[in-house]
Amino acid sequence: MQNLWYKNAIVYSLDVETFMDSDGDGVGDFPGLTQKLDYLAGLGITCLWLLPFYPSPNRDNGYDVMDYYGVDPRLGTLGDFVEFMHKARERGIRVIVDLVVNHTSIAHPWFQEARSDRNSKYRNYYVWSDNPPPADPKHIAFPDVEDSLWDYDDKAGAYYLHHFYKEQPDLNIANPAVREEICKIMGFWLELGVSGFRIDAAPFLIQGIGIPDAKPEDLEGFLIEMREFLVSRRADAILLAEANVDADQIGVYFGNGDKMQMLFSFLLNQHMFLALARQDAATLVEGLKILPDAHHTCQWLNFVRHHDELTLDRLQESEIQEIFQAFAPEENMQMWGRGVRRRLPPMLEGDRQRVELVYSLLLTLPGTPMLRYGEEIGMGDDLSLEGRGSVRTVMQWSSKANGGFSSAPADKLARPAIDRGEYGYQKLNVTSQQRDPNSILSWMERAIRTRKQYPEFGSGKWKIVATNEPSVFAHSSQQNGNTVIAIHNLSAQPRTITMKSAEDPHLLDVFSDRPYEQMDCHSNSIEISGYGYRWFQVN
Ligand code: GLC
């Protein structure tokens, strides 16, 4: 019996910095997060993904690490981290942490030594060139700020490689000493009890673009080395890669069940938004069908939004425009011509029924669902903040100052709170939603509870169920003799559908957007409201 816990986890992603501030300095911290563990357990969360919390100059929201073995003093101490891990374990909540090893911060002592001394052992931890080739613009991650993959460092007397900001020099993954360091970092956090790692920027890590003489086979082989090391230290730990790649590249990351156990489902996510914009089920079906078959131990991590822009770069230009038109019509809502910098509810103009529809899809599509903090209460964004900052405002706990996130003066917060309008904390917060049985939070708790009772959705063998309505997406999933079916109406008009393949199924309603009349068990014609959803157990 294998322990495939991640196949039916309920994952929640958060940034310690913006979740809960316990000491009033304006910055979220580990003691604050620890206080909120009962809230998370009550919501039904079983696994947290923590964004980088390591010491960092914070050029890129902590994705520029200057010490892999510590906690940023703004967020607490290593002791606070261990207390948090202990309390999370008591509540049955696992923790996975970000492993940001495509690059370090420029302030990392390795880089400081490397640039100061050509003979330092750290020189070869990075990638240098006297004469770098011109950059292919499609390899530049942040095109509004950077125009090259190489920057000249006076002290080093050479150019160094960086795929992201120039303050994030790329590590030389072709150097065995760097690979050893990476394993050592994993070993450290595993020893402190984490259940795995999110591998940041995985394709950049292993494609080796810019690294002279790097052989792709060798670099890809590092994913196997990481996995072997991981399970040698902790058998049930997982690797989750951030790899937004085309379908034909997915095998590079899943391997034959010997590399990453999980991948973020970027392709499905982008197809889902296109399907929502078009109100067309076939687009979603296509998103599922392009995914290659993977080893039975591999799993997709489904999401609606995360801390970055909603990237649409796997779609055609005209398809991106369809999504922009539907959900981000103004230029200020878009990013880099390929992404949306909004949270979901504002994209849907606050339409509660449609918001539920999307989270119902998240919870039933094949894979493991992930929520990002604030999604459970329908938090909005602040487009007056620069770039991806729009979706990184602090968690809204109550109607108190700063949404109850911190007692510091508002201008001292690590990131602002949304303090006006429909999405302001005065109106939209955890406390008021906990009092209201009809709130989105109450809905989410019930949805998660139901989803946990039907693990077939996460890990069963899925099939598309043909219907007579192009706007209705229907699929079934089967495991250990149990079958579930979910139907989603992507259009605003109510529909009555006929499921073409069902052999006289006896369907039991387990979750839906409203109470429906019990069906005659010998009919397979099913009613569904506009933007409605229904989950069934097949008897
Ligand atoms: C990943 C992170 C993003 C970060 C980048 C560089 O894409 O999600 O936030 O800026 O890596 O580390």
Side-chain angles (χ1 to χ4, degrees):
M1 296 288 269
Q2 280 175 294
N3 182 2
L4 305 180
W5 62 269
Y6 51 91
K7 285 208 147 194
N8 269 298
I10 307 287
V11 181
Y12 188 93
S13 119
L14 67 89
D15 197 338
V16 178
E17 185 187 51
T18 50
F19 200 59
M20 181 66 201
D21 171 20
S22 71
D23 58 4
D25 65 354
V27 185
D29 46 41
F30 275 103
L33 169 57
T34 308
Q35 283 168 24
K36 295 298 182 188
L37 279 169
D38 285 318
Y39 164 76
L40 294 168
L43 182 57
I45 302 306
T46 64
C47 179
L48 296 177
W49 153 33
L50 302 185
L51 267 66
F53 51 79
Y54 316 104
S56 162
N58 247 328
R59 169 67 177 100
D60 185 14
N61 198 35
Y63 283 95
D64 45 332
V65 178
M66 55 189 281
D67 175 6
Y68 290 103
Y69 299 105
V71 169
D72 192 315
R74 295 160 65 247
L75 310 179
T77 64
L78 204 49
D80 295 330
F81 176 83
V82 169
E83 276 308 292
F84 153 72
M85 289 299 294
H86 173 73
K87 299 260 163 59
R89 198 177 61 228
E90 272 184 347
R91 287 158 181 80
I93 297 180
R94 293 177 181 264
V95 178
I96 60 182
V97 298
D98 236 294
L99 185 67
V100 191
V101 288
N102 171 68
H103 45 266
T104 67
S105 160
I106 206 157
H108 196 292
W110 298 341
F111 189 76
Q112 290 305 321
E113 277 207 39
R115 72 200 291 214
S116 320
D117 178 2
R118 265 178 197 264
N119 300 316
S120 155
K121 76 165 193 175
Y122 294 113
R123 184 77 172 192
N124 196 28
Y125 270 40
Y126 296 89
V127 188
W128 304 95
S129 168
D130 293 327
N131 222 337
D136 178 340
K138 76 170 187 289
H139 292 145
I140 297 177
F142 302 139
D144 55 339
V145 185
E146 304 295 348
D147 57 8
S148 167
L149 296 185
W150 298 89
D151 214 65
Y152 189 74
D153 186 62
D154 281 336
K155 209 160 175 190
Y159 291 85
Y160 63 90
L161 180 69
H162 64 89
H163 274 90
F164 294 92
Y165 292 122
K166 61 165 89 54
E167 293 85 356
Q168 294 168 303
D170 280 15
L171 281 166
N172 179 8
I173 195 75
N175 177 356
V178 168
R179 295 178 179 208
E180 247 177 68
E181 290 276 5
I182 294 175
C183 289
K184 206 196 272 182
I185 297 164
M186 291 201 290
F188 178 83
W189 295 102
L190 287 168
E191 213 60 33
L192 294 185
V194 306
S195 290
F197 301 91
R198 169 195 183 261
I199 315 285
D200 183 61
F204 297 90
L205 183 67
I206 60 153
Q207 277 166 5
I209 293 163
I211 303 183
D213 308 325
K215 291 204 208 80
E217 320 81 82
D218 281 2
L219 298 183
E220 284 172 29
F222 183 50
L223 298 180
I224 299 180
E225 281 172 39
M226 284 171 101
R227 169 70 175 269
E228 283 173 351
F229 176 83
L230 178 91
V231 296
S232 75
R233 293 290 172 94
R234 180 168 174 166
D236 64 347
I238 60 151
L239 297 174
L240 156 67
E242 183 207 19
N244 174 17
V245 295
D246 287 333
D248 62 354
Q249 290 302 302
I250 283 163
V252 171
Y253 300 88
F254 274 150
N256 190 19
D258 54 356
K259 291 179 174 169
M260 310 284 113
Q261 289 97 330
M262 288 188 110
L263 294 181
F264 286 91
S265 54
F266 282 100
L267 282 169
L268 185 59
N269 174 271
Q270 298 180 35
H271 280 84
M272 180 180 80
F273 276 100
L274 186 59
L276 291 166
R278 291 176 170 171
Q279 314 208 347
D280 170 39
T283 307
L284 191 49
V285 172
E286 191 192 320
L288 279 170
K289 289 202 168 155
I290 53 176
L291 301 179
D293 282 339
H295 190 266
H296 74 100
T297 55
C298 297
Q299 175 73 324
W300 292 104
L301 184 64
N302 293 328
F303 59 93
V304 174
R305 291 289 288 110
H306 49 65
H307 66 290
D308 290 326
E309 78 285 5
L310 163 67
T311 182
L312 302 170
D313 59 351
R314 300 292 131 196
L315 301 174
Q316 303 294 321
E317 182 53 37
S318 62
E319 298 172 332
I320 298 179
Q321 293 308 324
E322 284 179 66
I323 296 179
F324 280 169
Q325 225 171 37
F327 303 132
E330 290 165 29
E331 218 182 302
N332 188 33
M333 301 166 174
Q334 308 165 4
M335 249 189 120
W336 301 323
R338 56 163 201 242
V340 175
R341 53 184 214 106
R342 309 182 82 186
R343 282 208 187 230
L344 180 78
M347 288 170 72
L348 302 178
E349 288 160 1
D351 183 338
R352 166 72 183 267
Q353 177 80 12
R354 229 176 159 191
V355 170
E356 286 180 21
L357 172 79
V358 176
Y359 288 107
S360 170
L361 280 169
L362 172 74
L363 290 166
T364 52
L365 283 169
T368 296
M370 180 191 94
L371 284 177
R372 176 159 187 263
Y373 79 90
E375 286 193 303
E376 72 276 28
I377 54 171
M379 262 172 68
D381 47 51
D382 181 349
L383 294 175
S384 72
L385 300 171
E386 208 191 313
R388 295 169 289 172
S390 53
V391 296
R392 296 176 176 175
T393 57
V394 301
M395 181 65 180
Q396 298 177 190
W397 295 105
S398 71
S399 58
K400 285 201 225 149
N402 305 321
F405 159 74
S406 170
S407 58
D411 62 350
K412 291 277 180 301
L413 299 191
R415 295 202 179 250
I418 298 182
D419 63 359
R420 66 199 93 101
E422 283 307 296
Y423 296 98
Y425 62 75
Q426 296 87 342
K427 285 198 185 161
L428 192 153
N429 60 68
V430 171
T431 310
S432 64
Q433 293 201 17
Q434 281 187 327
R435 291 189 195 117
D436 176 4
N438 296 317
S439 66
I440 181 90
L441 178 60
S442 300
W443 179 89
M444 193 69 83
E445 285 170 6
R446 197 162 57 83
I448 291 175
R449 189 165 64 241
T450 313
R451 166 64 176 75
K452 284 167 133 176
Q453 290 171 33
Y454 300 97
E456 297 78 26
F457 281 125
S459 49
K461 198 161 171 36
W462 59 269
K463 264 201 325 228
I464 301 299
V465 178
T467 76
N468 56 328
E469 280 293 347
S471 65
V472 178
F473 170 72
H475 76 292
S476 69
S477 209
Q478 193 172 21
Q479 181 173 272
N480 304 330
N482 302 320
T483 305
V484 289
I485 295 182
I487 60 175
H488 290 86
N489 182 359
L490 308 185
S491 82
Q493 280 75 44
R495 307 279 188 211
T496 302
I497 62 152
T498 320
M499 290 201 291
K500 292 186 183 148
S501 66
E503 309 106 20
D504 195 13
H506 191 149
L507 300 182
L508 179 74
D509 268 286
V510 293
F511 192 72
S512 50
D513 59 289
R514 64 170 170 87
Y516 286 88
E517 212 171 297
Q518 272 298 309
M519 281 182 312
D520 166 4
C521 61
H522 293 296
S523 139
N524 48 19
S525 123
I526 303 175
E527 207 197 327
I528 184 162
S529 355
Y531 298 133
Y533 50 86
R534 299 180 72 172
W535 308 358
F536 302 102
Q537 186 184 28
V538 180
N539 274 343

